[in-house]
Amino acid sequence: MITAQLPIRTAVMSDVNYLNETIVEDLAMEFATIEGASMIQNNDQSGSTTTTTGSTNGLRGLNYYTSASTAAYGSSGYAITDGIHSIATVSQAGASIAYDDIVNLCNALPAPYWSLPCTAWMMHPSTIQALRKLKGSTGGAPMFVEIGDDDGGALAYVFGFPVIPNPNMDTIGSGKFSVYLANWMRFVTIADVEEMTVQAMEQTQAGFITLYAEKRLVSSVRDPFAGVRLVGV
């Protein structure tokens, strides 16, 4: 269950033309922001560590799937800890991300997924910046060269796979999952209920109408072999 709220001054409701359409757009953006963060960061096993993204009532974030050297499906059962798949995880060689870390991560993704549509990298914008600055041990030209074409920018593609900036991803650090490479169509399945419940409350704050919206959705790793990730040391 994902929830969002928007406080709106009462006087504005009758003074601004086409406000309803703007409110609907703002609600959609608010939900997209919370959903995106929950799918990466939310710990559905704990009620205290990720309260802003739903905690036990939220989604199971990718970062809270089990790490392993080889991907594996979760065990059967009906306990909350059952069914958690293991995602193949590659450790960085050092504290800073290196070119070989990206090569090793790409090599960890099984070859049948390489040529499928929707195979892409996902990383935080600051990770993209760090990779753009990578140079050899003696300096010189960057390892990821800017060509200048629309599809040839530094870190627009890496080894033929597009790079998706995602601010919900971890930044580089010890124990942090800074980079994912996956065939996203097979790796993660997202399902939701199109209906959304919206309630208007005038008692929450004097002079304001607060809209509370709720929507049911779920995200789950479908094929744990279709994705790999990099973890900092």
Side-chain angles (χ1 to χ4, degrees):
M1 177 76 74
I2 297 293
T3 61
Q5 64 182 55
L6 292 177
I8 303 168
R9 190 176 293 277
T10 307
V12 177
M13 295 293 290
S14 58
D15 290 344
V16 179
N17 293 329
Y18 305 110
L19 182 59
N20 289 341
E21 290 84 349
T22 302
I23 291 173
V24 170
E25 182 180 355
D26 287 348
L27 271 176
M29 291 298 295
E30 182 75 10
F31 266 97
T33 300
I34 298 173
E35 290 168 12
S38 189
M39 290 176 190
I40 294 288
Q41 302 172 357
N42 189 65
N43 183 1
D44 69 335
Q45 309 290 304
S46 172
S48 60
T49 59
T50 52
T51 55
T52 57
T53 53
S55 61
T56 55
N57 291 323
L59 307 175
R60 177 171 295 168
L62 283 177
N63 288 353
Y64 286 91
Y65 281 81
T66 305
S67 296
S69 56
T70 304
Y73 287 99
S75 60
S76 60
Y78 43 79
I80 192 171
T81 54
D82 290 330
I84 301 180
H85 304 317
S86 296
I87 298 175
T89 305
V90 175
S91 297
Q92 289 177 198
S96 299
I97 196 167
Y99 182 87
D100 284 358
D101 294 329
I102 302 301
V103 175
N104 294 336
L105 187 62
C106 183
N107 187 60
L109 183 69
Y113 298 103
W114 289 7
S115 58
L116 294 180
C118 297
T119 297
W121 305 88
M122 192 175 291
M123 57 187 79
H124 192 277
S126 66
T127 305
I128 294 175
Q129 181 187 29
L131 290 174
R132 283 174 170 166
K133 291 182 177 181
L134 280 181
K135 298 179 177 66
S137 59
T138 58
M143 292 183 175
F144 295 100
V145 179
E146 171 66 48
I147 298 176
D149 297 337
D150 291 341
D151 60 352
L155 267 293
Y157 285 80
V158 173
F159 305 146
F161 307 128
V163 177
I164 301 172
N166 186 341
N168 295 313
M169 293 278 294
D170 284 345
T171 55
I172 300 169
S174 177
K176 301 294 186 179
F177 302 111
S178 58
V179 181
Y180 279 82
L181 173 62
N183 179 254
W184 294 97
M185 184 179 296
R186 294 191 57 84
F187 186 47
V188 176
T189 292
I190 300 172
D192 66 358
V193 176
E194 293 184 3
E195 296 177 356
M196 180 183 296
T197 301
V198 181
Q199 295 179 325
M201 301 291 184
E202 298 182 359
Q203 299 85 1
T204 305
Q205 186 176 354
F208 286 82
I209 295 175
T210 300
L211 300 180
Y212 290 91
E214 294 182 343
K215 184 179 181 181
R216 298 188 65 85
L217 72 153
V218 66
S219 68
S220 178
V221 169
R222 171 189 173 194
D223 180 357
F225 294 91
V228 294
R229 63 189 178 188
L230 183 70
V231 66
V233 295

